[in-house]
């Protein structure tokens, strides 16, 4: 696993090492008494130096203060880890793809594949000898104990759920909670700037994903993409959203797709469907833009959010 040369984790490690040294000196000065209490204190000092307990969707897990070989089972967790300066040893791929998203940069070429996000390979994960596995309860709850037998495992609730909470959980697991908070603060500052500069008040937006059999999936304000667009100042037309913030409609309900700006996503399983969706939107006043599924739908992390902001800003800057 590669780390940024100025990663806050190094500063944290230095602080931990200094603390351990002070603890060692204190224990040495009391060694002459040889009491049982001194032995307990020594064990506690060693534990502080070597491990931490992280609360997450499956309970609590003791993990190394500085996990050196991380495996991630979701793209949003990969996005977040890399935004925090950590290049995992292994990662699961989006279904029907054979490489990780380009928007994450060249460092993804150094990451080993561990199967797909729906069918991760336990053998490939174990072969990497990880000291931390990051996954999602909604997808792999049944495999949590199996993963935990391989390495300490931390789960967020779901890949597309509360993405801010997921960033904080990953930050805790990687030992850089302050950096995670800083990423979220940067995001808030950036969306506020674009919102003010572009004056999007009253402008409606819709994120849609064409599906097979004439269905279209809409993403509401409680999804990752919907949340980012809302933070930028767009209004998302009201729908009877499902619990996951998504609504799947039939192609007959064309009116539900319309908005001032419609962002159409396609993925590797439906590469030709956006053109079919364009036909549905003919005759409406919607301005249509094709967007990258890997960023807008699968990204769900601080790097993906920044990519969406930049793309929206570019689109709205065009005459």
């Amino acid at each position: 696993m590669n780390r940024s040369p100025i990663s806050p984790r190094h500063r944290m490690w230095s602080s931990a090492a200094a603390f351990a040294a002070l603890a060692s000196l204190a224990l040495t000065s009391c060694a002459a008494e040889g009491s049982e209490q001194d032995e307990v204190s020594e064990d506690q000092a060693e534990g502080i130096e070597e491990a931490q307990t992280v609360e997450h969707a499956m309970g609590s897990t003791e993990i190394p203060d500085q996990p050196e070989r991380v495996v991630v089972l979701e793209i949003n967790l990969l996005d977040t880890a890399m935004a925090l300066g950590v290049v995992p040893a292994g990662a699961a791929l989006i279904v029907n793809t054979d490489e990780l998203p380009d928007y994450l940069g060249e460092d993804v070429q150094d990451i080993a594949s561990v199967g797909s996000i729906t069918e991760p390979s336990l053998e490939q994960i174990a072969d990497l000898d990880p000291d931390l596995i990051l996954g999602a309860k909604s997808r792999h709850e049944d495999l949590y104990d199996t993963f935990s037998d391989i390495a300490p495992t931390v789960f967020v609730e779901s890949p597309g759920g509360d993405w801010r909470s997921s960033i904080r959980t990953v930050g805790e697991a990687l030992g850089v909670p302050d950096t995670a908070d800083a990423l979220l603060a940067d995001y808030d500052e950036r969306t506020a700037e674009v919102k003010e500069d572009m004056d999007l008040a009253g402008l409606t937006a819709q994120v849609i994903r064409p599906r097979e059999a004439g269905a279209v999936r809409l993403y509401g304000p409680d999804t990752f993409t919907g949340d980012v667009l809302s933070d930028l100042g767009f209004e998302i037309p009201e729908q009877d959203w499902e619990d996951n913030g998504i609504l799947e409609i039939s192609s007959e309900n064309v009116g539900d797709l319309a908005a001032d700006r419609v962002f159409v996503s396609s993925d590797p399983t439906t590469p030709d469907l956006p053109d079919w969706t364009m036909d549905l939107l003919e005759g409406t006043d919607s301005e249509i833009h094709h967007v990258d599924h890997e960023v807008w739908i699968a990204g769900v992390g601080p790097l993906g959010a920044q990519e969406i902001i930049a793309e929206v800003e570019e689109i709205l800057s065009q005459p």
Side-chain angles (χ1 to χ4, degrees):
M1 179 182 68
N2 300 323
R3 297 180 186 274
S4 169
I6 58 172
S7 171
R9 184 178 308 180
H10 293 142
R11 294 193 291 272
M12 292 178 67
W13 175 251
S14 298
S15 297
F19 177 86
L22 289 173
S24 178
L25 287 173
L27 290 168
T28 301
S29 66
C30 297
E33 298 181 9
S35 67
E36 181 179 348
Q37 181 62 42
D38 290 336
E39 293 176 3
V40 172
S41 298
E42 185 174 1
D43 289 340
Q44 291 174 338
E46 183 178 355
I48 290 172
E49 179 184 357
E50 295 182 354
Q52 61 170 330
T53 299
V54 175
E55 303 292 332
H56 58 98
M58 296 297 294
S60 61
T61 299
E62 189 175 86
I63 63 175
D65 277 345
Q66 286 193 300
E68 293 293 333
R69 297 184 61 78
V70 181
V71 169
V72 295
L73 306 178
E74 302 288 346
I75 297 301
N76 70 308
L77 304 177
L78 174 61
D79 179 307
T80 301
M82 297 191 72
L84 292 168
V86 173
V87 180
L93 304 176
I94 297 174
V95 177
N96 295 326
T97 63
D98 55 8
E99 57 186 27
L100 294 169
D102 290 336
Y103 83 92
L104 294 174
E106 295 182 356
D107 284 343
V108 297
Q109 298 174 9
D110 299 327
I111 302 174
S113 168
V114 293
S116 72
I117 56 177
T118 57
E119 296 183 357
S121 169
L122 297 176
E123 181 179 358
Q124 289 176 317
I125 293 172
D127 285 345
L128 289 174
D129 191 25
D131 52 11
L132 174 64
I133 297 173
L134 296 171
K137 178 180 179 180
S138 64
R139 198 186 309 271
H140 296 305
E141 181 176 7
D142 292 344
L143 289 173
Y144 176 76
D145 290 340
T146 303
F147 290 135
S148 297
D149 287 339
I150 298 174
T153 300
V154 170
F155 273 9
V156 300
E157 282 290 342
S158 68
D162 185 348
W163 64 281
R164 290 177 175 84
S165 177
S166 294
I167 290 172
R168 294 188 179 96
T169 298
V170 175
E172 291 284 347
L174 296 178
V176 287
D178 291 344
T179 307
D181 289 340
L183 285 176
L184 292 170
D186 288 344
Y187 165 82
D188 289 336
E189 181 178 353
R190 184 77 181 109
T191 52
E193 289 175 353
V194 174
K195 182 177 181 179
E196 181 177 358
D197 292 343
M198 295 296 176
D199 190 20
L200 303 180
L203 200 65
T204 59
Q206 195 85 265
V207 178
I208 66 175
R209 180 183 176 190
R211 307 295 287 164
E212 296 179 357
V216 180
R217 184 171 292 176
L218 282 66
Y219 290 79
D222 290 334
T223 62
F224 168 65
T225 49
D227 192 25
V228 174
L229 292 179
S230 296
D231 287 341
L232 288 171
F234 284 108
E235 294 181 9
I236 297 179
E238 292 186 9
Q239 304 282 357
D240 188 15
W241 302 108
E242 298 171 3
D243 290 342
N244 59 1
I246 295 172
L247 178 64
E248 197 152 311
I249 65 173
S250 64
S251 58
E252 290 85 15
N253 298 317
V254 180
D256 290 337
L257 304 180
D260 294 322
R261 304 282 180 153
V262 176
F263 302 97
V264 182
S265 165
S266 63
D267 62 57
T269 64
T270 57
D272 301 323
L273 293 185
D275 290 336
W276 162 75
T277 311
M278 300 306 98
D279 295 338
L280 290 178
L281 290 166
E282 281 188 4
T284 71
D285 294 328
S286 299
E287 186 171 317
I288 303 164
H289 307 279
H290 291 279
V291 295
D292 186 353
H293 169 85
E294 291 182 335
V295 176
W296 284 66
I297 305 300
V300 195
L303 297 179
Q306 293 292 348
E307 286 284 325
I308 292 174
I309 294 169
E311 190 167 345
V312 168
E313 190 173 27
E314 181 180 358
I315 288 170
L316 295 179
S317 298
Q318 295 173 358

